[in-house]
Amino acid sequence: MRRIKRLTGDSSMVESFLPITSWKRFGWPWLLIIWLAFLTPGIWATNASALQPCNLDEKFPTTRPLPTDGGPTNIHVKFFLFDLLDIVTVKQEFTLDLFLNVNWKDDRVGALLRKAGVKRCEVPFHAIWQPDLLTLNGRSIEFSLPQVWILSDTGIVEGNNRIIGTYTAHFDLSNFPLDTQSLAVTYISTKFSPDELKVSFEASDHSAEFTESAWIVSNIQASSSRFDFGTVQDQKNYQFRFDYVIQVKRQTEFYVWKVFLPLCMIVAVTWSVFWIDPKQLGIQTSIGTLMMLNLIAFLFSLQEILPKISYLTRMDVFVYTSLTFVFLAFIEALITGGLAARGKDTMAQRLDLICRFVFPLGFVGITLWFWQVI
C-alpha cells in the first residue's frame, strides 16, 4: 500500500484500488461457485421436464377405443401450412411443408398412466392403437420429427410432425392463366370405415409468404368422406378418407407483361394497313408479312412458359385469335390492293374504313373474354 501511495501520491486512489485487487485475488473462485449454484438447478429442471419413454409393466391397448355411445372414434386433426414450396403443372404435382397434429382420447391409456403415476410419456409409433392413416397421393414424404405418440394421464394420445412432401394432383388448365387449382392431400385409413372413425378438423392457418411466388393461397379447408376400395364378396368395401385442400390462384402479372401486352402491340401494328393508300400494295403486304413473322417467332418463344398439354387453354385461344387477326389484316390488304389495281378505289377505301372499326372492336371483345369480363 505504501508503494502504491508513493507511486500515485493519492491515498484515496489507494483505498479505491484495494477492493478491486483483493477481489481479483480472492473473489473469482467464489464467483464461480455462486454462478454454478444458480446454473445447476436449471439443468436439473430441464432434465426433469424432458419427456421420457413409457416404460410400463402393462402393454398399451391395440384395439380401437370405443366411445360411451358405441359410435365412431373421434380423431382431432390440425394442419399448419409452413410453406408452399413448388407447383409443377406439367408433372401434375406440388410440394408442401406442413405441420400435422393428430390426437384422440383413450381412457384406457389414461388409466394405465395414472396407475403407474406417470403424467406424460411417449411410445413408439406402432406400440399403441392408431387410425392407420396412409397418404393416398403422396409421391415422396419426409418427416422432420421422430414418429412417436405422446400419452397423457388424461387419456389424450397426441402425435406431432413436420412433413415435407410431394403430392400428385389433377390440374385443369383450361382456364390458364386465370386458373384456380385445388391442392389436395388425401389420407385414407386402410383398416377402418367411416362408421368407425370420425374426424374433427380444427382451424387451419398458413404462413404469410411462400417460396412459390407464382400462386397465392385463397382458401384452406378440410373434409372427410369415404373411399371406395371396390367390391369384396359382392359387397362394397368403403374405407375412411379425409382431404386437406388448399385453394390457390395463379398470379397473372407475369403473363400480362410477357404475353398479353406484346401480343396486343403486334396485332395493333397490323391495323396500320387500313390507313395506307390501297394503291401502295407493297407497303401493306410488307407490314402484314413482317407482323406475321414476328408473331410466329413470338409463339416459339412462348413454348417455355405455356403448359404442354393436349387441349387448348384460355391463353391458347387468345394467342391463336391474335394470329387470326394478323392474318385477316394481311388478306384485307391484298383485297383492297386488288380493288385499287382494277380502278375500284372507292370500294377499297370503304372496305378500309369498315375494317378500321371492325378489327379493333373485335379484338377488344376477345380481350374482354380473355379477362373474363364478358
Side-chain angles (χ1 to χ4, degrees):
M1 178 176 176
R2 292 177 180 176
R3 183 179 178 184
I4 296 174
K5 185 176 181 180
R6 286 197 301 268
L7 292 174
T8 59
D10 189 353
S11 60
S12 61
M13 291 182 63
V14 175
E15 293 174 357
S16 62
F17 180 75
L18 278 176
I20 299 176
T21 56
S22 59
W23 177 257
K24 286 184 177 180
R25 286 186 178 182
F26 307 106
W28 291 117
W30 291 103
L31 179 62
L32 180 60
I33 293 173
I34 294 173
W35 179 73
L36 289 175
F38 279 102
L39 181 63
T40 304
I43 298 175
W44 291 343
T46 302
N47 292 334
S49 62
L51 202 59
Q52 300 296 326
C54 298
N55 297 321
L56 305 184
D57 296 333
E58 301 183 46
K59 292 184 178 180
F60 289 102
T62 56
T63 57
R64 182 173 67 92
L66 296 175
T68 54
D69 58 358
T73 303
N74 195 12
I75 309 296
H76 299 271
V77 178
K78 183 177 182 180
F79 289 94
F80 184 88
L81 179 60
F82 281 113
D83 199 0
L84 175 58
L85 298 173
D86 195 15
I87 299 178
V88 185
T89 55
V90 176
K91 294 183 179 180
Q92 301 280 291
E93 66 180 25
F94 59 94
T95 304
L96 301 178
D97 184 356
L98 281 173
F99 175 81
L100 174 63
N101 173 272
V102 180
N103 66 83
W104 65 90
K105 188 171 184 180
D106 191 339
D107 293 329
R108 300 169 299 177
V109 172
L112 287 176
L113 264 63
R114 289 192 298 270
K115 181 179 178 181
V118 178
K119 288 285 186 182
R120 284 167 60 89
C121 60
E122 63 180 28
V123 295
F125 195 68
H126 296 287
I128 194 172
W129 178 89
Q130 56 179 304
D132 287 306
L133 298 177
L134 172 68
T135 308
L136 185 62
N137 61 330
R139 180 165 293 178
S140 62
I141 298 176
E142 298 179 3
F143 296 95
S144 301
L145 301 176
Q147 297 190 58
V148 296
W149 296 110
I150 301 173
L151 312 183
S152 171
D153 60 353
T154 60
I156 299 298
V157 182
E158 183 178 19
N160 301 297
N161 219 314
R162 183 171 182 175
I163 305 170
I164 299 177
T166 300
Y167 307 89
T168 58
H170 299 285
F171 296 127
D172 181 10
L173 300 176
S174 58
N175 209 31
F176 170 86
L178 307 180
D179 52 328
T180 300
Q181 303 295 340
S182 296
L183 312 179
V185 180
T186 302
Y187 292 90
I188 63 170
S189 177
T190 57
K191 295 182 179 180
F192 302 100
S193 67
D195 298 329
E196 297 172 308
L197 292 183
K198 177 184 177 182
V199 170
S200 299
F201 298 99
E202 300 183 22
S204 299
D205 204 352
H206 59 82
S207 303
E209 296 181 355
F210 301 113
T211 302
E212 177 58 82
S213 59
W215 300 79
I216 56 174
V217 175
S218 58
N219 187 29
I220 298 178
Q221 58 186 3
S223 61
S224 59
S225 60
R226 59 183 186 177
F227 181 76
D228 186 3
F229 264 106
T231 303
V232 179
Q233 296 180 352
D234 298 330
Q235 292 184 352
K236 283 290 186 180
N237 183 19
Y238 294 110
Q239 298 297 328
F240 174 80
R241 163 182 176 167
F242 74 90
D243 299 275
Y244 174 71
V245 183
I246 306 169
Q247 298 286 343
V248 293
K249 183 175 178 59
R250 193 188 300 269
Q251 300 269 36
T252 58
E253 288 80 1
F254 172 82
Y255 300 96
V256 169
W257 295 106
K258 299 294 184 180
V259 180
F260 179 74
L261 289 180
L263 272 177
C264 290
M265 288 188 287
I266 292 174
V267 174
V269 169
T270 60
W271 298 339
S272 62
V273 299
F274 306 143
W275 275 265
I276 298 176
D277 190 347
K279 295 180 180 179
Q280 299 181 359
L281 181 60
I283 298 177
Q284 289 180 320
T285 55
S286 297
I287 293 175
T289 303
L290 181 61
M291 291 302 103
M292 284 286 293
L293 294 176
N294 284 339
L295 187 54
I296 292 173
F298 183 70
L299 292 179
F300 276 108
S301 67
L302 293 181
Q303 299 304 313
E304 297 298 327
I305 61 176
L306 296 180
K308 298 175 178 61
I309 52 179
S310 59
Y311 53 89
L312 292 179
T313 66
R314 180 176 291 267
M315 177 63 78
D316 293 327
V317 174
F318 181 75
V319 169
Y320 288 115
T321 303
S322 301
L323 181 61
T324 303
F325 270 92
V326 173
F327 178 74
L328 291 178
F330 179 73
I331 296 299
E332 193 275 345
L334 294 178
I335 293 174
T336 55
L339 292 174
R342 292 194 296 269
K344 299 180 180 180
D345 295 348
T346 304
M347 185 179 295
Q349 292 175 358
R350 185 180 301 171
L351 183 58
D352 278 342
L353 182 61
I354 294 174
C355 291
R356 291 175 189 176
F357 295 96
V358 172
F359 272 69
L361 289 176
F363 192 73
V364 168
I366 192 65
T367 302
L368 294 177
W369 169 85
F370 176 78
W371 292 110
Q372 296 182 336
V373 177
I374 58 175

